[in-house]
């Protein structure tokens, strides 16, 4: 079994309300949902892009922190 590719591209999602969904989307020719997390107000989760995850969808009020800056979904 090969080791997964480790990417240094981390980001943090902080929920501003209950029920914020963070959805991982797959790589490849068919983009599909492959993982979902539900965060409640004040919860923080650190995410990382992997060989299987090429995109993330955030649904709900949250603040996203990454090396590219800060995004507030309410703005």
């Amino acid at each position: 079994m090969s080791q997964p590719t480790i990417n240094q591209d981390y980001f943090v999602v902080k929920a501003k309300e209950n029920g914020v969904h963070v959805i991982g989307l797959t790589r490849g020719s068919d983009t599909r949902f492959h993982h979902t997390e539900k965060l409640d107000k004040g919860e923080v989760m650190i995410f990382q892009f992997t060989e299987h995850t090429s995109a993330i969808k955030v649904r709900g009020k949250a603040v996203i922190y990454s090396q590219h800056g800060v995004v507030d979904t309410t703005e």
Side-chain angles (χ1 to χ4, degrees):
M1 186 171 180
S2 65
Q3 289 287 338
T5 302
I6 302 299
N7 186 329
Q8 299 301 316
D9 206 2
Y10 289 89
F11 62 98
V12 175
V13 177
K14 180 177 182 183
K16 294 174 71 175
E17 67 180 355
N18 289 338
V20 171
H21 287 150
V22 182
I23 304 162
L25 302 164
T26 60
R27 291 189 185 279
S29 58
D30 256 354
T31 301
R32 293 184 236 161
F33 297 134
H34 76 83
H35 186 84
T36 187
E37 292 289 336
K38 183 177 172 188
L39 303 177
D40 286 331
K41 186 175 183 177
E43 287 186 323
V44 173
M45 192 160 188
I46 301 169
F47 295 90
Q48 178 182 33
F49 290 104
T50 68
E51 66 182 278
H52 301 294
T53 304
S54 65
I56 301 290
K57 179 177 183 176
V58 177
R59 182 178 291 151
K61 295 178 182 175
V63 180
I64 303 151
Y65 302 89
S66 77
Q67 67 182 8
H68 305 288
V70 178
V71 176
D72 187 326
T73 63
T74 62
E75 295 178 359

